[in-house]
Amino acid sequence: MPLVTTTEMFEKAYKGGYAIGAFNVNNMEIVQGIVDAGKAEQSPLILQVSAGARKYAKHIYLVKLVEAALQDSEDLPIALHLDHGDSFQICKDCIDGGFTSVMYDGSHLDFEENIKITKQVVDYAHAHGVVVEAELGRLAGVEDDVNVSDKDARFTDPEQAVEFVERTGVDSLAIAIGTSHGAYKFKGDPYLDFDRLEKIGNLLPNFPIVLHGASSVLPEFVKKCNEFGGNIPGAQGVPEEMLRKAATMAVCKINIDTDLRLAMTASVREFLQKNPSEFDPRKYLGPARSAIQGMVQHKIKDVLGSSHKI
Ligand code: G3H
Ligand code: 13P
Ligand code: ZN
C-alpha cells in the first residue's frame, strides 16, 4: 500500500473514540521499531519528521527509509508527516518531496499572520493531495507557572479555533491545553484543561484535534537512564490516563517523541554499562530498536486504543 493521508485514519479514530500515535523518526532503528510495533498491533501509524530530523538524517534518507518500511509492512496504513514546519517553504519542500501530511506551525505569530500563511500552505497542499495540520495557542513550558490569566492568554481560545479552521480550511488543529514538549512538563501536579478541549470539540464537531507534547515520561525509563549514568532529575510527563481520556474526546492525533528518546537511551546506557568491552553498534542499536518497539506497542495498546484498527 502507498503512503496514505491522515483523512481516513482520523475519521475512524474520531468515531471510534481512539487516537493515532504520531511518532518522531530520525534514523533506521527508530523507523523499524515503530513500524514493527504497528505491524504487531495492526495499528495505523503516523511517522513524523521534524526540521531537526531532516537536518540530521537528510530528507531523502528518511523518505527512503519510510518507503522501505512500507514495503515491509504488509498493508499497514502509514502517513508521512512534517512536524512543526515553520515556513511555507519547508512545507512545500515536504509536499513536493513525498510527504502525505504537513504541519505548518504559526503558533508564535499573531492570529491574522498565522491564518495567512496556514491558508497559503493549505492551498498548495490540497492542490497536491496532501493534508495540513496547523497550531493555535502556545504550548506551556515548565518554566511557566500556569495561573488562570495565563491560561486564557496562552491556551487555545475556542471561538478563535472555529474562526481559524473556517478561514484556513485546515484538516486538523493542534491546540494548547497544558501539554508541552520535552521531559519537564509540569512543576507541580499535572493539569490539562479538559473543559476547553470539550468546548472546542463541541464547537467543531467531527473535526480532528491534535495534542503535541504528549509523552508521559514514564518513571521506570527515567530511573533506568539515571541508574546507568544519566542525569535527568525531576522529569515529569502527561499521565497516561489523561491521554486516554483525550483520545475518547476530539483528539485524534497524539504526538510522542520524548518517550521514544528515553526508551532508546535507557537501553543504550544499560547495554554499554553492562558490556564495557562491546563496541559493535549493532549490539546496542538492536536492543534500542526493540525498546522503541516495546514503547510504541505499549502506547498503541494501553494509551491510544488504535490496536486492530486497520
Ligand atoms: O516537537 C518536537 C519534537 O520532539 C522533535 O524534536 O526538533 O529535536 O527533532 P526535534
Ligand atoms: P513530546 O516531547 O512530549 O514527546 O512531544 C513530541 C511532539 O509534540 C512532537 O511534535
Ligand atoms: Zn510538537
Side-chain angles (χ1 to χ4, degrees), residues 13-14 16-20 175 177-179 192-198 201 207-214 238-255 302-305:
Y14 198 101
Y18 61 92
I20 310 294
I175 60 166
I177 56 166
T179 62
L192 296 190
D193 192 341
F194 282 106
D195 290 345
R196 191 174 296 260
L197 172 59
E198 190 174 13
F207 185 82
I209 296 299
V210 178
L211 263 197
H212 281 249
V238 184
E240 291 189 332
E241 61 271 19
M242 287 191 180
L243 299 169
R244 273 195 291 273
K245 180 172 170 181
T248 65
M249 299 171 73
V251 171
C252 293
K253 173 174 180 271
I254 289 189
N255 283 14
D302 306 327
V303 183
L304 304 160

Side-chain angles (χ1 to χ4, degrees), residues 282-301:
R282 294 170 298 188
K283 293 275 167 54
Y284 54 86
L285 291 177
R289 177 173 57 194
S290 302
I292 294 269
Q293 180 179 344
M295 178 62 78
V296 173
Q297 280 193 240
H298 161 65
K299 296 289 176 183
I300 288 172
K301 267 194 305 203

Side-chain angles (χ1 to χ4, degrees), residues 83-84 103 135 139 181 212-213 255:
D83 191 25
H84 293 286
M103 175 191 192
E135 180 163 327
L139 295 201
H181 292 109
H212 281 249
N255 283 14

